[in-house]
């Protein structure tokens, strides 16, 4: 899995929803990060996260 830091994981998840891209639920790790996983077109696992 490859993770990419973004400023707002929730906003990026909503953006992917609008693009029709499959994605997992937004997960919250208390005092650490929000993240979600999604596959690229080749099936590789990717993730966007933002620190909280």
């Amino acid at each position: 899995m490859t993770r990419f830091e973004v400023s707002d994981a929730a906003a990026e998840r909503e953006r992917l929803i609008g693009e029709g891209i499959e994605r997992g639920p937004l997960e919250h790790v208390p005092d650490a990060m929000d993240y979600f996983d999604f596959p690229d077109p080749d099936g590789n696992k990717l993730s966007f996260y933002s620190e909280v």
Side-chain angles (χ1 to χ4, degrees):
M1 172 167 309
T2 302
R3 292 190 189 271
F4 298 96
E5 184 175 12
V6 295
S7 61
D8 185 341
E12 286 298 319
R13 186 173 180 278
E14 291 301 315
R15 184 179 67 80
L16 293 184
I17 290 170
E19 297 289 330
I21 296 173
E22 177 185 345
R23 74 275 164 240
L26 183 66
E27 304 287 345
H28 176 71
V29 179
D31 300 319
M33 74 173 81
D34 290 335
Y35 73 92
F36 68 95
D37 302 331
F38 60 100
D40 73 6
D42 295 321
N44 298 302
K45 292 178 82 175
L46 304 175
S47 182
F48 282 161
Y49 75 95
S50 56
E51 294 180 358
V52 294

